[in-house]
Amino acid sequence: MKPDKIIAVRNNKTVYKDGDSCLKVFSRDFSKIDILNEALNQARVEETGLNIPKIKSVTLIDGKWTIISDYIRGKTLSRLMLEHPEKTDEYIKQLVDIQSEMHTKSCPMLNRLRDKTLEKLRLAQLDSSVLQRLCAQLDEMPEADNLCHGDFRPSNVVISDNGAYILDWSHASCGNRVLDAAVSYLLLYLHNTSDDAEIYLQMFCEKNGIDSAYIKKLLPAAAAAQISKGNEKEREFFNSWIK
């Protein structure tokens, strides 16, 4: 493998550009089930008609599982926000518009968002009273069939000459969009600024006719579900929201 360049490096995966392809190479100890499930998620979302990179193949490269998909030329919204901070509100509005369109889609073959979240809560080693409270909040949330991303933030949206593309579907599910928005709020708060998160929340609620208090009520459950994914710093951040 002689890719053109490294696009991103994370704890257990490295993403490369190779011509018109994008190679997501996982570490040797990464779960094969999770890798194949991510590829299946992305293939299912392709059928909704959204702009996303299309899966080309799933293979082994140097003994490491690799997902090969289309390489999307452009800049992420997070990159654009850094380059043009004076346009932050404009980019957040674009983020909200893209996510709201995504939520109009349905992909019933995906896992249910409520079930995924409940399972993550049980794995988060929470105090029993806290776990009971968060599960009760999820039980109050109406069922829905919105396509939910699970990690929707500026770094996962690429603006290209052919429109906006949504990347990284490893956490995709089908469920209630308010919980997906709660996760996006937390990710903006963590990776951008608290002001960006509040602007996002206001714009999302205005566009979709949702009371912001409804989303904020779900923030503790959304935060607890993220604990197993983050590094130590991120876990501290999410734990602060559970309380």
Side-chain angles (χ1 to χ4, degrees):
M1 180 178 68
K2 295 182 179 179
D4 298 346
K5 65 177 182 180
I6 294 176
I7 299 173
V9 178
R10 295 173 185 164
N11 292 337
N12 46 26
K13 62 182 78 88
T14 303
V15 183
Y16 300 90
K17 175 184 178 297
D18 187 13
D20 61 356
S21 296
C22 178
L23 281 62
K24 183 182 283 190
V25 182
F26 296 82
S27 61
R28 295 178 189 276
D29 60 349
F30 203 97
S31 166
K32 184 200 297 187
I33 293 174
D34 289 342
I35 295 166
L36 296 177
N37 185 67
E38 177 176 341
L40 181 58
N41 283 352
Q42 194 161 331
R44 284 173 168 161
V45 175
E46 284 180 29
E47 297 182 353
T48 67
L50 285 174
N51 278 349
I52 73 167
K54 289 183 170 51
I55 294 287
K56 293 184 173 181
S57 66
V58 181
T59 187
L60 281 170
I61 296 179
D62 298 330
K64 298 177 181 179
W65 283 102
T66 302
I67 297 176
I68 302 177
S69 58
D70 292 337
Y71 173 74
I72 307 302
R73 300 181 184 277
K75 293 183 178 181
T76 64
L77 277 177
S78 58
R79 175 71 178 273
L80 291 171
M81 291 167 77
L82 286 173
E83 293 179 354
H84 306 285
E86 75 282 0
K87 295 184 177 181
T88 294
D89 287 14
E90 177 184 330
Y91 292 135
I92 294 176
K93 181 181 183 301
Q94 194 169 7
L95 185 77
V96 167
D97 289 344
I98 295 165
Q99 187 179 32
S100 298
E101 180 190 2
M102 177 187 72
H103 287 159
T104 67
K105 308 294 184 180
S106 180
C107 197
M109 294 300 291
L110 293 174
N111 290 329
R112 300 297 305 178
L113 176 56
R114 183 199 299 271
D115 295 341
K116 286 186 65 173
T117 305
L118 286 171
E119 180 62 25
K120 288 178 182 177
L121 293 184
R122 295 187 181 102
L123 294 174
Q125 299 182 333
L126 301 169
D127 179 84
S128 59
S129 62
V130 174
L131 176 60
Q132 185 176 8
R133 171 171 57 88
L134 298 183
C135 289
Q137 290 177 354
L138 289 178
D139 287 340
E140 294 173 1
M141 183 180 67
E143 280 288 0
D145 292 316
N146 309 122
L147 171 59
C148 296
H149 186 275
D151 192 22
F152 192 81
R153 49 181 161 140
S155 61
N156 278 331
V157 176
V158 171
I159 306 302
S160 76
D161 292 340
N162 298 317
Y165 282 75
I166 307 173
L167 313 180
D168 194 355
W169 291 91
S170 58
H171 304 292
S173 61
C174 187
N176 196 315
R177 60 184 175 173
V178 295
L179 189 54
D180 199 45
V183 172
S184 292
Y185 173 90
L186 290 170
L187 294 175
L188 279 161
Y189 205 111
L190 173 63
H191 297 290
N192 291 64
T193 69
S194 59
D195 287 344
D196 290 350
E198 293 299 336
I199 292 169
Y200 160 81
L201 184 62
Q202 179 182 352
M203 288 183 175
F204 182 89
C205 290
E206 288 178 353
K207 183 175 182 66
N208 293 282
I210 297 172
D211 187 344
S212 62
Y214 184 20
I215 293 177
K216 286 191 172 183
K217 184 178 181 181
L218 289 168
L219 290 176
Q226 299 296 309
I227 289 177
S228 61
K229 298 195 308 184
N231 55 38
E232 184 176 352
K233 179 182 178 182
E234 291 170 343
R235 286 193 293 271
E236 290 177 2
F237 170 82
F238 292 124
N239 267 309
S240 70
W241 283 91
I242 297 171
K243 301 173 183 178

